[in-house]
Amino acid sequence: MKRLRSEEGFGLLELLISITMLNVGILALVAAFNSGALALQRASQVSTASTVAERQMELYRGLRYSSITLDSASKSTADANPLYAGDPAYSATQVITTCTGNPIADSCVAMRSTKGPDGVDYRVDTYIVSETPPNGRPLKRVTVVVRRASDNLTMARLISLFDESTG
């Protein structure tokens, strides 16, 4: 009877339970920090990709309306790429011309690679399509898609419309 009422060993059992509970709490905190770090890294890449897309779009904003085109050779190369041709912004009847210069200006290149300010390689795909709304002036819809070069994941998409009054 005395052995059954003895409390010897209960301190060790309580210590074991409290250490287990503390371990579960610490592991939950570590998982939360890891998840937060991954979210911050992704947000950083999306922000950088948006900056790259905005920089590409600024090239078109500085051009005359008639100069907003893609180089025909660059467009032919891009058309052969299934990722480029499979994008929703793709159209077989994009605005093309023969751009001059060596190298060709970035505003004329349909698909190119660039390094972002964060040191990550990005792929910049540009689509230029002419459209005329009913009873409206002709427009050019420029879509810039920035993908992470390592896995071709779309990180940013920017669309802008230009009309003939642009210049």
Side-chain angles (χ1 to χ4, degrees):
M1 231 6 159
K2 185 177 177 187
R3 251 170 96 194
L4 291 176
R5 293 190 181 178
S6 171
E7 292 188 20
E8 292 176 10
F10 274 102
L12 185 60
L13 186 60
E14 290 168 350
L15 181 64
L16 185 60
I17 290 171
S18 64
I19 287 174
T20 302
M21 290 173 54
L22 186 62
N23 193 22
V24 168
I26 289 173
L27 288 176
L29 283 174
V30 168
F33 283 130
N34 188 34
S35 175
L38 290 174
L40 284 173
Q41 180 184 17
R42 170 105 168 114
S44 172
Q45 287 183 349
V46 168
S47 176
T48 301
S50 296
T51 301
V52 170
E54 191 63 46
R55 188 174 14 178
Q56 180 73 14
M57 192 62 77
E58 283 299 319
L59 295 174
Y60 296 106
R61 291 181 182 135
L63 294 175
R64 297 179 54 79
Y65 180 81
S66 59
S67 299
I68 300 175
T69 62
L70 295 174
D71 180 61
S72 55
S74 169
K75 168 84 168 51
S76 296
T77 303
D79 283 346
N81 184 294
L83 188 62
Y84 182 88
D87 193 89
Y90 176 79
S91 171
T93 59
Q94 293 190 63
V95 180
I96 59 172
T97 189
T98 301
C99 294
T100 58
N102 190 15
I104 295 174
D106 287 342
S107 60
C108 281
V109 179
M111 183 177 73
R112 68 182 179 91
S113 295
T114 187
K115 191 172 285 292
D118 58 356
V120 175
D121 290 324
Y122 293 95
R123 177 177 144 176
V124 181
D125 293 347
T126 304
Y127 305 89
I128 302 174
V129 179
S130 288
E131 50 190 48
T132 303
N135 302 321
R137 295 189 301 230
L139 302 172
K140 289 183 182 177
R141 180 175 30 92
V142 177
T143 305
V144 176
V145 180
V146 178
R147 296 179 171 92
R148 192 169 48 207
S150 61
D151 58 3
N152 289 324
L153 178 68
T154 300
M155 303 298 286
R157 180 179 297 269
L158 188 60
I159 302 170
S160 193
L161 289 171
F162 297 86
D163 67 10
E164 287 183 305
S165 67
T166 305

